mmCIF file of all heavy atoms in Angstrom:
data_model
loop_
_atom_site.group_PDB
_atom_site.id
_atom_site.type_symbol
_atom_site.label_atom_id
_atom_site.label_comp_id
_atom_site.label_asym_id
_atom_site.label_seq_id
_atom_site.Cartn_x
_atom_site.Cartn_y
_atom_site.Cartn_z
ATOM 1 N N ALA N 1 -96.010 -24.842 -14.983
ATOM 2 C CA ALA N 1 -96.374 -23.734 -15.872
ATOM 3 C C ALA N 1 -95.227 -23.400 -16.818
ATOM 4 O O ALA N 1 -95.450 -23.084 -17.997
ATOM 5 C CB ALA N 1 -96.755 -22.503 -15.043
ATOM 6 N N ILE N 2 -94.010 -23.477 -16.337
ATOM 7 C CA ILE N 2 -92.845 -23.184 -17.172
ATOM 8 C C ILE N 2 -92.712 -24.232 -18.272
ATOM 9 O O ILE N 2 -92.523 -23.903 -19.445
ATOM 10 C CB ILE N 2 -91.559 -23.114 -16.314
ATOM 11 C CG1 ILE N 2 -91.619 -21.917 -15.362
ATOM 12 C CG2 ILE N 2 -90.322 -23.041 -17.200
ATOM 13 C CD1 ILE N 2 -90.553 -21.933 -14.276
ATOM 14 N N VAL N 3 -92.823 -25.502 -17.909
ATOM 15 C CA VAL N 3 -92.709 -26.574 -18.900
ATOM 16 C C VAL N 3 -93.849 -26.476 -19.907
ATOM 17 O O VAL N 3 -93.641 -26.610 -21.118
ATOM 18 C CB VAL N 3 -92.671 -27.965 -18.223
ATOM 19 C CG1 VAL N 3 -92.726 -29.074 -19.255
ATOM 20 C CG2 VAL N 3 -91.423 -28.097 -17.363
ATOM 21 N N GLU N 4 -95.062 -26.223 -19.428
ATOM 22 C CA GLU N 4 -96.214 -26.053 -20.327
ATOM 23 C C GLU N 4 -95.979 -24.902 -21.300
ATOM 24 O O GLU N 4 -96.292 -25.007 -22.481
ATOM 25 C CB GLU N 4 -97.495 -25.784 -19.530
ATOM 26 C CG GLU N 4 -98.112 -27.002 -18.927
ATOM 27 C CD GLU N 4 -98.795 -27.902 -19.941
ATOM 28 O OE1 GLU N 4 -99.160 -27.441 -21.043
ATOM 29 O OE2 GLU N 4 -98.956 -29.086 -19.623
ATOM 30 N N ALA N 5 -95.440 -23.809 -20.811
ATOM 31 C CA ALA N 5 -95.159 -22.658 -21.671
ATOM 32 C C ALA N 5 -94.158 -23.024 -22.750
ATOM 33 O O ALA N 5 -94.330 -22.662 -23.924
ATOM 34 C CB ALA N 5 -94.650 -21.481 -20.835
ATOM 35 N N GLU N 6 -93.128 -23.746 -22.388
ATOM 36 C CA GLU N 6 -92.119 -24.199 -23.360
ATOM 37 C C GLU N 6 -92.777 -25.065 -24.435
ATOM 38 O O GLU N 6 -92.582 -24.851 -25.625
ATOM 39 C CB GLU N 6 -91.015 -24.989 -22.641
ATOM 40 C CG GLU N 6 -90.012 -25.627 -23.548
ATOM 41 C CD GLU N 6 -88.859 -24.721 -23.936
ATOM 42 O OE1 GLU N 6 -88.752 -23.604 -23.388
ATOM 43 O OE2 GLU N 6 -88.068 -25.131 -24.784
ATOM 44 N N VAL N 7 -93.588 -26.030 -24.011
ATOM 45 C CA VAL N 7 -94.260 -26.938 -24.950
ATOM 46 C C VAL N 7 -95.234 -26.169 -25.848
ATOM 47 O O VAL N 7 -95.288 -26.397 -27.058
ATOM 48 C CB VAL N 7 -94.975 -28.072 -24.181
ATOM 49 C CG1 VAL N 7 -95.887 -28.872 -25.099
ATOM 50 C CG2 VAL N 7 -93.959 -28.988 -23.514
ATOM 51 N N GLU N 8 -95.993 -25.255 -25.269
ATOM 52 C CA GLU N 8 -96.949 -24.474 -26.059
ATOM 53 C C GLU N 8 -96.248 -23.640 -27.130
ATOM 54 O O GLU N 8 -96.729 -23.552 -28.264
ATOM 55 C CB GLU N 8 -97.772 -23.566 -25.149
ATOM 56 C CG GLU N 8 -98.777 -24.304 -24.294
ATOM 57 C CD GLU N 8 -99.408 -23.426 -23.236
ATOM 58 O OE1 GLU N 8 -99.116 -22.201 -23.192
ATOM 59 O OE2 GLU N 8 -100.200 -23.959 -22.433
ATOM 60 N N LEU N 9 -95.129 -23.036 -26.772
ATOM 61 C CA LEU N 9 -94.391 -22.237 -27.748
ATOM 62 C C LEU N 9 -93.834 -23.109 -28.868
ATOM 63 O O LEU N 9 -93.870 -22.733 -30.036
ATOM 64 C CB LEU N 9 -93.267 -21.457 -27.055
ATOM 65 C CG LEU N 9 -93.747 -20.285 -26.201
ATOM 66 C CD1 LEU N 9 -92.636 -19.806 -25.274
ATOM 67 C CD2 LEU N 9 -94.232 -19.157 -27.082
ATOM 68 N N ILE N 10 -93.349 -24.277 -28.518
ATOM 69 C CA ILE N 10 -92.840 -25.198 -29.531
ATOM 70 C C ILE N 10 -93.986 -25.660 -30.432
ATOM 71 O O ILE N 10 -93.865 -25.670 -31.656
ATOM 72 C CB ILE N 10 -92.119 -26.393 -28.878
ATOM 73 C CG1 ILE N 10 -90.828 -25.912 -28.221
ATOM 74 C CG2 ILE N 10 -91.838 -27.491 -29.903
ATOM 75 C CD1 ILE N 10 -90.160 -26.932 -27.326
ATOM 76 N N ASP N 11 -95.119 -26.018 -29.829
ATOM 77 C CA ASP N 11 -96.286 -26.450 -30.602
ATOM 78 C C ASP N 11 -96.797 -25.342 -31.519
ATOM 79 O O ASP N 11 -97.348 -25.622 -32.582
ATOM 80 C CB ASP N 11 -97.422 -26.898 -29.683
ATOM 81 C CG ASP N 11 -97.173 -28.256 -29.055
ATOM 82 O OD1 ASP N 11 -96.244 -28.964 -29.507
ATOM 83 O OD2 ASP N 11 -97.904 -28.615 -28.108
ATOM 84 N N ALA N 12 -96.595 -24.095 -31.117
ATOM 85 C CA ALA N 12 -97.044 -22.953 -31.921
ATOM 86 C C ALA N 12 -96.100 -22.650 -33.077
ATOM 87 O O ALA N 12 -96.338 -21.723 -33.848
ATOM 88 C CB ALA N 12 -97.211 -21.726 -31.034
ATOM 89 N N GLY N 13 -95.011 -23.412 -33.188
ATOM 90 C CA GLY N 13 -94.111 -23.236 -34.321
ATOM 91 C C GLY N 13 -92.775 -22.596 -34.004
ATOM 92 O O GLY N 13 -91.998 -22.299 -34.901
ATOM 93 N N ASN N 14 -92.482 -22.374 -32.734
ATOM 94 C CA ASN N 14 -91.202 -21.800 -32.335
ATOM 95 C C ASN N 14 -90.322 -22.927 -31.777
ATOM 96 O O ASN N 14 -90.433 -23.273 -30.608
ATOM 97 C CB ASN N 14 -91.420 -20.716 -31.278
ATOM 98 C CG ASN N 14 -90.147 -20.006 -30.906
ATOM 99 O OD1 ASN N 14 -89.064 -20.411 -31.285
ATOM 100 N ND2 ASN N 14 -90.276 -18.942 -30.138
ATOM 101 N N PRO N 15 -89.453 -23.518 -32.598
ATOM 102 C CA PRO N 15 -88.695 -24.680 -32.139
ATOM 103 C C PRO N 15 -87.683 -24.396 -31.030
ATOM 104 O O PRO N 15 -87.288 -25.306 -30.314
ATOM 105 C CB PRO N 15 -87.988 -25.175 -33.404
ATOM 106 C CG PRO N 15 -87.916 -23.989 -34.295
ATOM 107 C CD PRO N 15 -89.128 -23.142 -33.973
ATOM 108 N N ARG N 16 -87.267 -23.150 -30.891
ATOM 109 C CA ARG N 16 -86.302 -22.780 -29.850
ATOM 110 C C ARG N 16 -86.720 -21.483 -29.174
ATOM 111 O O ARG N 16 -86.108 -20.429 -29.390
ATOM 112 C CB ARG N 16 -84.920 -22.619 -30.449
ATOM 113 C CG ARG N 16 -84.329 -23.918 -30.881
ATOM 114 C CD ARG N 16 -82.926 -23.716 -31.321
ATOM 115 N NE ARG N 16 -82.309 -25.017 -31.469
ATOM 116 C CZ ARG N 16 -81.075 -25.191 -31.795
ATOM 117 N NH1 ARG N 16 -80.305 -24.156 -32.000
ATOM 118 N NH2 ARG N 16 -80.588 -26.396 -31.916
ATOM 119 N N PRO N 17 -87.759 -21.537 -28.347
ATOM 120 C CA PRO N 17 -88.188 -20.301 -27.688
ATOM 121 C C PRO N 17 -87.111 -19.791 -26.729
ATOM 122 O O PRO N 17 -86.392 -20.579 -26.115
ATOM 123 C CB PRO N 17 -89.450 -20.699 -26.941
ATOM 124 C CG PRO N 17 -89.428 -22.179 -26.861
ATOM 125 C CD PRO N 17 -88.561 -22.679 -27.969
ATOM 126 N N SER N 18 -87.002 -18.480 -26.644
ATOM 127 C CA SER N 18 -86.032 -17.888 -25.721
ATOM 128 C C SER N 18 -86.552 -18.005 -24.293
ATOM 129 O O SER N 18 -87.742 -18.213 -24.056
ATOM 130 C CB SER N 18 -85.805 -16.415 -26.066
ATOM 131 O OG SER N 18 -86.970 -15.660 -25.770
ATOM 132 N N VAL N 19 -85.646 -17.854 -23.359
ATOM 133 C CA VAL N 19 -86.024 -17.899 -21.946
ATOM 134 C C VAL N 19 -87.026 -16.786 -21.651
ATOM 135 O O VAL N 19 -87.991 -16.991 -20.915
ATOM 136 C CB VAL N 19 -84.775 -17.775 -21.046
ATOM 137 C CG1 VAL N 19 -85.158 -17.714 -19.581
ATOM 138 C CG2 VAL N 19 -83.834 -18.935 -21.293
ATOM 139 N N ARG N 20 -86.823 -15.635 -22.244
ATOM 140 C CA ARG N 20 -87.749 -14.516 -22.040
ATOM 141 C C ARG N 20 -89.144 -14.850 -22.552
ATOM 142 O O ARG N 20 -90.142 -14.563 -21.901
ATOM 143 C CB ARG N 20 -87.217 -13.249 -22.717
ATOM 144 C CG ARG N 20 -88.080 -12.033 -22.461
ATOM 145 C CD ARG N 20 -87.463 -10.744 -22.968
ATOM 146 N NE ARG N 20 -86.110 -10.502 -22.513
ATOM 147 C CZ ARG N 20 -85.756 -10.092 -21.289
ATOM 148 N NH1 ARG N 20 -86.685 -9.889 -20.387
ATOM 149 N NH2 ARG N 20 -84.504 -9.894 -20.974
ATOM 150 N N GLN N 21 -89.232 -15.488 -23.723
ATOM 151 C CA GLN N 21 -90.537 -15.865 -24.271
ATOM 152 C C GLN N 21 -91.242 -16.880 -23.367
ATOM 153 O O GLN N 21 -92.445 -16.766 -23.131
ATOM 154 C CB GLN N 21 -90.365 -16.459 -25.676
ATOM 155 C CG GLN N 21 -89.966 -15.449 -26.721
ATOM 156 C CD GLN N 21 -89.569 -16.119 -28.033
ATOM 157 O OE1 GLN N 21 -88.924 -17.167 -28.040
ATOM 158 N NE2 GLN N 21 -89.956 -15.489 -29.130
ATOM 159 N N VAL N 22 -90.489 -17.837 -22.869
ATOM 160 C CA VAL N 22 -91.075 -18.839 -21.973
ATOM 161 C C VAL N 22 -91.565 -18.169 -20.689
ATOM 162 O O VAL N 22 -92.673 -18.437 -20.220
ATOM 163 C CB VAL N 22 -90.056 -19.962 -21.654
ATOM 164 C CG1 VAL N 22 -90.605 -20.917 -20.602
ATOM 165 C CG2 VAL N 22 -89.679 -20.713 -22.921
ATOM 166 N N ALA N 23 -90.745 -17.288 -20.141
ATOM 167 C CA ALA N 23 -91.124 -16.596 -18.908
ATOM 168 C C ALA N 23 -92.381 -15.761 -19.119
ATOM 169 O O ALA N 23 -93.299 -15.786 -18.283
ATOM 170 C CB ALA N 23 -89.972 -15.717 -18.426
ATOM 171 N N GLU N 24 -92.449 -15.033 -20.224
ATOM 172 C CA GLU N 24 -93.636 -14.225 -20.507
ATOM 173 C C GLU N 24 -94.868 -15.104 -20.645
ATOM 174 O O GLU N 24 -95.924 -14.783 -20.116
ATOM 175 C CB GLU N 24 -93.426 -13.408 -21.784
ATOM 176 C CG GLU N 24 -92.477 -12.250 -21.608
ATOM 177 C CD GLU N 24 -92.151 -11.540 -22.913
ATOM 178 O OE1 GLU N 24 -92.734 -11.883 -23.966
ATOM 179 O OE2 GLU N 24 -91.291 -10.636 -22.868
ATOM 180 N N ARG N 25 -94.731 -16.218 -21.336
ATOM 181 C CA ARG N 25 -95.863 -17.128 -21.547
ATOM 182 C C ARG N 25 -96.333 -17.724 -20.225
ATOM 183 O O ARG N 25 -97.521 -17.908 -20.003
ATOM 184 C CB ARG N 25 -95.448 -18.225 -22.525
ATOM 185 C CG ARG N 25 -96.507 -19.221 -22.871
ATOM 186 C CD ARG N 25 -97.483 -18.589 -23.855
ATOM 187 N NE ARG N 25 -98.324 -19.572 -24.458
ATOM 188 C CZ ARG N 25 -98.483 -19.724 -25.750
ATOM 189 N NH1 ARG N 25 -97.869 -18.938 -26.595
ATOM 190 N NH2 ARG N 25 -99.300 -20.621 -26.209
ATOM 191 N N ALA N 26 -95.385 -18.029 -19.331
ATOM 192 C CA ALA N 26 -95.725 -18.627 -18.041
ATOM 193 C C ALA N 26 -96.159 -17.591 -17.005
ATOM 194 O O ALA N 26 -96.672 -17.951 -15.950
ATOM 195 C CB ALA N 26 -94.534 -19.419 -17.505
#
C-alpha cells in the first residue's frame, strides 16, 4: 500500500511526494 501510494502520487504529477503525503494516501 505504501509503494502503491508513492506511485499513485507520482503518476498524479507529484514527482517528489512527501512522506506525510504518502502516509495519508496509504
Side-chain angles (χ1 to χ4, degrees):
I2 294 167
V3 173
E4 281 287 338
E6 174 86 7
V7 169
E8 289 170 3
L9 287 165
I10 291 169
D11 285 347
N14 185 350
R16 290 186 169 183
S18 69
V19 176
R20 184 172 308 284
Q21 290 170 321
V22 174
E24 287 173 5
R25 181 76 166 233

